[in-house]
Amino acid sequence: MSIEESNNPMASSTTTPQPVNEQPRRARFTPKAILLALLPLVLLAGVLALIVATDAGLGERAVPPIETLNVQQVLLPEPGMIELEVVNAGPDPITIAQVMVDEAYWQYEIAPGPTLERRDTATISIPYPWVQDEAHGIALLSETGVLFETDIPVAIQSPVADRASFAQFALVGLYVGIVPVSLGLLWYPSMRRLGRQGMNFVLALTVGLLAFLAVDMWGEAQEIALGAVGFLDAPVLVPLLVLLTVALLVVVGNSLRGRTGESGGLGLAYRIAGGIGLHNLGEGLAIGAAFALGEVALGVFLILGFTLHNVTEGVGIAAPVVGERPRLVHFAALAAVAGLPAILGTWIGAFTYSPFWTTIFFAVGIGAILQVIYEVGRLIVRSQVKAGEPAMTWTTFGGVAAGIAVMYATGLLVAA
Amino acid sequence: MAGAVAGVPLLLSGNSTASDHGATPTADGLGTQVEHAEHSPSATIGDIDVSRLSIDPSDFIQTFDYGEATTMADGTVVREWELIAIDREIEIAPGVFFPAWTYNGQVPGPTLRANEGDLLRIHFVNGGVHPHTIHFHGIHSAFHDGVTGIGRGDIQPGEEFTYEFTARPFGCHLYHCHSAPLKRHIHKGLYGGFIVNPDPAKHGDQAKARHPDHPESQEWQEFVMVMNAFDTTFDAGNEVYAINSVAFHYMKHPIVIDRTRPVRVYLINLTEFDPINSFHLHANFFNYYDTGTTLEPTLRTVDTIMQAQGQRGILEFSYTDHEPGLYMFHAHVSEFAELGWMSVFDVQ
């Protein structure tokens, strides 16, 4: 559908037809009309004031305060020091009265102060001699005796954001992003030798691997969203942002096609690279966070798994441009778009991990991947229709299945 | 070890009610030691506001309530107390508040003390919102046992009842609410110490050191320590442990001991949820009288004893041969110690 088409239903839903009525419409906004338009707002303000003044007729609240505290981050900046970042995610103020580490009351400092109004954050510094590679439990005791617990599964000094660790994490990002994607792109010359059947198999393989990534990210996003501060309602945002992203990309695609005709394979390759880039950002986050949380035992294996896993992504990116002959610089750019975000991801994950923003990144990534699946699907359908074949044949089905199977199998390496 | 305790010279005229006992450390000389005790990182931060607790633990530990005493024509001493159940928020660690059920607004309730053979009348008023009782560990009729569904049973909110019985046997006892559900009524704070002094007329001269009418008792420095804990999250596990309710209170405010005089501790375990609690004295040994119902120690020369819930006993020891300084005592369940049941004597 074109922009004009999509505009029409919008227009027909309003009472006034079109620009012809500009004069009368302007005349209607007399001071009296403006006052009338403001009346509901004034009344609303009155009702809100009444509710506040009378406690909605419920009387004085005789129930205990609802205390919800989220521990956003646990850092071990140096030996003998634990730092927590907490946020009051509940409706009532919380006063943190005491802190326990491993079931012992311990000295601590809290900045800016012990009382957190709703949505306030505070940093708690505990001079505790934590033991390398061992687990510790921390509990915050509020004034009313509510206990908020968090733990350090494996105590290891948190990465400090200095030049050396930035470089180190960049290298890790390189291994899981640019390197495998580039290796996958190296199959481009071989792919050019494929016939229509072979090409459609590879395109279907791309659909399969993208479907795997979308489902995988969906699960991750839901899980991470649960770790975000409650009042931000992150789990609800996942499906909605996915929908919005798909819609936005479809609209952008439509308007581009409207201007330049059918979009080329290169444009599609960039969009695939973009979606995969967001996915690789997520993988970078996972790796960086695993390091920050001290789960380094898994770290090397995690990197190995992601590297293998992501080789297939290069194939997917190259598939739409097999019929064209893009310049070499485009391949470098495609690799960068898909691979560089992994580096950014490791930095974010290691130094400033935020469940909320990670959820947002993931939801946008899922939307981007879904839209790309739609576009690659169109390519396959067009090619098959031109050859007088149905879209779904054993070849295309085999491609999708192979894509999912390869991603699943290499994904097992990461899970281990 | 009994010899070491008995051999303490009678230098100072002391007291057992100890209302005028020098509990507050003076600034000079002691300041640095108190400072030192506070510097351990393993403790709560800050200090409680004693006015919010309604009792100062430093006073409570050496306060024994002999009630209103009158002597009848036949010579029997009658002692009367009024205990009121009051729902009240108490500060059990600096800044941490517990919605307690209390006797007379305090946890533990007042330490009731009488001489063996006295007639006791405890007027109980239930000012709370739940039914409560007072169940004494002692000898009394079934009607006065203070248990839900037995004898007088529950005292409903707004009701009153007078528990009446004779003080016996001598020893270190306790009282607590025995309404159902029992766990909740105990751990919410309805308990206290109940001490019966042995009558030397019946038990001989040895009993004089534990009876206030005899000068032999005057040299003793006596303390009541109720080992208790609080489940602030109501998940059947305690968050705060202490003696006399406030975590680390006697770390921040050491208990002053005159090393020339012997020490007697009435130790009572009312910790809910945990099967045992314990007491360990640093750098010293004591004689222990389980339940306090004997004049001969049931354990001699020990530095650690354990008590189940409701178990109690008397500890006697002396610092005569010690250098002055801070001497620690605590639960030798390290978890309890680090969650508040850790204290020091300031031996001077």
Side-chain angles (χ1 to χ4, degrees):
Chain A
M1 73 188 148
S2 71
I3 295 171
E4 287 88 321
E5 276 167 3
S6 64
N7 267 349
N8 280 339
M10 291 288 289
S12 62
S13 68
T14 59
T15 47
T16 43
Q18 283 286 315
V20 192
N21 294 328
E22 239 173 47
Q23 278 302 98
R25 185 191 282 172
R26 194 170 288 162
R28 277 186 203 163
F29 277 99
T30 56
K32 191 180 160 196
I34 291 170
L35 277 180
L36 266 176
L38 288 177
L39 185 63
L41 290 178
V42 173
L43 288 177
L44 178 65
V47 170
L48 291 181
L50 188 72
I51 290 173
V52 171
T54 64
D55 285 321
L58 298 170
E60 280 280 303
R61 228 178 71 174
V63 295
I66 301 160
E67 297 186 347
T68 314
L69 193 77
N70 272 58
V71 177
Q72 289 294 93
Q73 210 174 18
V74 182
L75 286 176
L76 305 176
E78 57 188 272
M81 181 59 77
I82 300 172
E83 263 178 31
L84 302 187
E85 194 188 302
V86 295
V87 54
N88 177 359
D92 295 310
I94 296 177
T95 299
I96 295 169
Q98 298 295 341
V99 170
M100 290 176 217
V101 186
D102 297 338
E103 301 197 326
Y105 285 104
W106 213 263
Q107 302 282 297
Y108 65 96
E109 276 174 26
I110 182 164
T115 301
L116 282 76
E117 296 298 323
R118 60 193 298 230
R119 294 170 197 198
D120 273 2
T121 57
T123 304
I124 300 171
S125 310
I126 312 165
Y128 186 84
W130 52 267
V131 182
Q132 170 97 25
D133 300 333
E134 292 186 6
H136 294 281
I138 300 165
L140 313 173
L141 190 61
S142 87
E143 158 182 69
T144 61
V146 177
L147 207 60
F148 303 101
E149 293 172 278
T150 187
D151 36 76
I152 302 169
V154 186
I156 189 160
Q157 194 162 335
S158 305
V160 185
D162 59 14
R163 192 179 297 177
S165 60
F166 258 99
Q168 208 180 352
F169 280 104
L171 189 66
V172 171
L174 211 64
Y175 281 136
V176 300
I178 300 255
V179 168
V181 169
S182 306
L183 290 177
L185 284 172
L186 287 179
W187 267 309
Y188 178 73
S190 320
M191 287 161 70
R192 280 183 62 81
R193 294 197 170 81
L194 294 170
R196 181 188 57 84
Q197 289 273 4
M199 202 49 238
N200 282 351
F201 177 84
V202 174
L203 285 173
L205 184 104
T206 307
V207 169
L209 79 90
L210 290 174
F212 178 92
L213 294 185
V215 172
D216 185 46
M217 281 172 83
W218 180 276
E220 287 280 315
Q222 291 292 352
E223 200 173 298
I224 293 165
L226 293 178
V229 186
F231 61 76
L232 292 174
D233 224 355
V236 173
L237 284 180
V238 176
L240 297 176
L241 276 178
V242 169
L243 272 178
L244 277 177
T245 308
V246 172
L248 177 74
L249 291 174
V250 168
V251 169
V252 168
N254 286 341
S255 63
L256 285 178
R257 255 197 297 283
R259 227 185 298 146
T260 64
E262 202 52 58
S263 71
L266 189 60
L268 179 54
Y270 272 109
R271 285 201 292 287
I272 293 178
I276 286 175
L278 279 171
H279 176 261
N280 288 346
L281 178 84
E283 290 183 344
L285 284 172
I287 294 169
F291 269 92
L293 293 175
E295 294 159 359
V296 205
L298 277 177
V300 175
F301 216 62
L302 202 68
I303 294 167
L304 204 68
F306 278 129
T307 307
L308 268 173
H309 193 59
N310 293 352
V311 170
T312 334
E313 292 173 354
V315 178
I317 294 165
V321 289
V322 166
E324 307 171 16
R325 256 187 184 285
R327 282 181 295 137
L328 203 59
V329 66
H330 281 301
F331 285 101
L334 285 169
V337 170
L340 280 181
I343 297 176
L344 193 65
T346 55
W347 287 341
I348 296 173
F351 304 126
T352 62
Y353 183 71
S354 148
F356 178 72
W357 286 106
T358 307
T359 308
I360 301 287
F361 283 137
F362 273 40
V364 170
I366 295 164
I369 287 173
L370 288 181
Q371 192 269 342
V372 169
I373 290 175
Y374 165 73
E375 295 222 27
V376 177
R378 275 168 52 109
L379 273 186
I380 298 171
V381 171
R382 265 213 313 278
S383 156
Q384 292 286 88
V385 165
K386 232 183 255 172
E389 277 191 48
M392 211 42 138
T393 61
W394 284 113
T395 309
T396 49
F397 171 76
V400 173
I404 291 173
V406 168
M407 293 308 277
Y408 177 74
T410 52
L412 290 181
L413 293 176
V414 179
Chain B
M1 276 306 282
V5 172
V8 171
L10 214 166
L11 287 179
L12 299 166
S13 65
N15 60 314
S16 53
T17 53
S19 53
D20 57 341
H21 195 284
T24 319
T26 49
D28 51 321
L30 275 170
T32 51
Q33 288 174 337
V34 173
E35 194 77 8
H36 181 71
E38 277 181 1
H39 269 176
S40 165
S42 177
T44 51
I45 62 163
D47 204 356
I48 60 155
D49 177 350
V50 288
S51 67
R52 290 193 288 214
L53 198 67
S54 107
I55 45 163
D56 182 339
S58 298
D59 293 337
F60 174 86
I61 197 168
Q62 46 196 331
T63 302
F64 299 91
D65 186 347
Y66 277 91
E68 198 85 8
T70 47
T71 309
M72 293 197 295
D74 68 351
T76 306
V77 174
V78 180
R79 295 188 188 275
E80 298 184 65
W81 293 269
E82 183 168 74
L83 290 190
I84 308 172
I86 301 168
D87 297 350
R88 189 176 196 280
E89 202 165 68
I90 57 168
E91 193 174 8
I92 52 171
V96 181
F97 296 88
F98 182 78
W101 295 343
T102 72
Y103 290 120
N104 290 2
Q106 63 181 69
V107 180
T111 306
L112 310 186
R113 191 163 181 179
N115 296 320
E116 186 181 7
D118 291 351
L119 179 64
L120 312 183
R121 290 196 184 119
I122 302 99
H123 306 293
F124 176 53
V125 180
N126 186 353
V129 298
H130 287 266
H132 296 303
T133 68
I134 309 177
H135 165 69
F136 283 87
H137 284 221
I139 297 171
H140 46 250
S141 70
F143 190 76
H144 290 266
D145 197 36
V147 176
T148 300
I150 294 177
R152 178 59 181 81
D154 277 337
I155 312 304
Q156 298 299 325
E159 287 185 349
E160 302 182 10
F161 179 66
T162 301
Y163 295 94
E164 192 174 311
F165 49 90
T166 301
R168 67 196 167 108
F170 73 82
C172 172
H173 305 306
L174 62 147
Y175 63 89
H176 60 85
C177 179
H178 209 306
S179 289
L182 182 59
K183 277 205 298 295
R184 179 70 52 128
H185 282 259
I186 288 185
H187 99 252
K188 287 280 270 184
L190 291 168
Y191 47 75
F194 168 48
I195 295 163
V196 178
N197 305 319
D199 183 357
K202 285 183 180 172
H203 308 288
D205 284 351
Q206 243 184 317
K208 288 180 179 171
R210 279 168 59 181
H211 197 292
D213 293 350
H214 297 272
E216 289 86 339
S217 70
Q218 297 304 304
E219 60 169 349
W220 288 86
Q221 302 170 85
E222 294 195 315
F223 302 101
V224 62
M225 299 183 185
V226 177
M227 300 193 284
N228 57 353
F230 296 92
D231 174 17
T232 66
T233 54
F234 301 101
D235 62 350
N238 295 310
E239 277 70 41
V240 169
Y241 291 82
I243 46 169
N244 305 336
S245 300
V246 181
F248 299 109
H249 191 77
Y250 305 112
M251 288 297 289
K252 297 165 197 278
H253 306 277
I255 301 159
V256 177
I257 296 274
D258 173 358
R259 73 190 177 111
T260 63
R261 296 164 55 205
V263 181
R264 181 179 292 134
V265 172
Y266 295 91
L267 182 74
I268 303 163
N269 181 21
L270 271 153
T271 311
E272 192 56 77
F273 307 120
D274 298 291
I276 62 153
N277 206 326
S278 65
F279 180 106
H280 165 56
L281 185 63
H282 278 212
N284 209 342
F285 284 75
F286 55 85
N287 281 345
Y288 183 62
Y289 303 75
D290 192 26
T291 317
T293 43
T294 57
L295 295 174
E296 286 298 323
T298 52
L299 278 176
R300 291 176 194 272
T301 322
V302 292
D303 68 354
T304 305
I305 54 104
M306 68 175 183
Q307 290 183 346
Q309 192 194 53
Q311 201 177 352
R312 65 279 182 186
I314 297 171
L315 289 69
E316 289 182 350
F317 50 95
S318 162
Y319 283 100
T320 312
D321 299 329
H322 285 67
E323 285 175 27
L326 293 176
Y327 292 93
M328 189 177 258
F329 62 101
H330 58 86
H332 219 305
V333 182
S334 310
E335 180 200 351
F336 301 177
E338 292 190 321
L339 288 174
W341 179 176
M342 203 188 281
S343 306
V344 284
F345 287 121
D346 181 6
V347 175
Q348 302 178 6

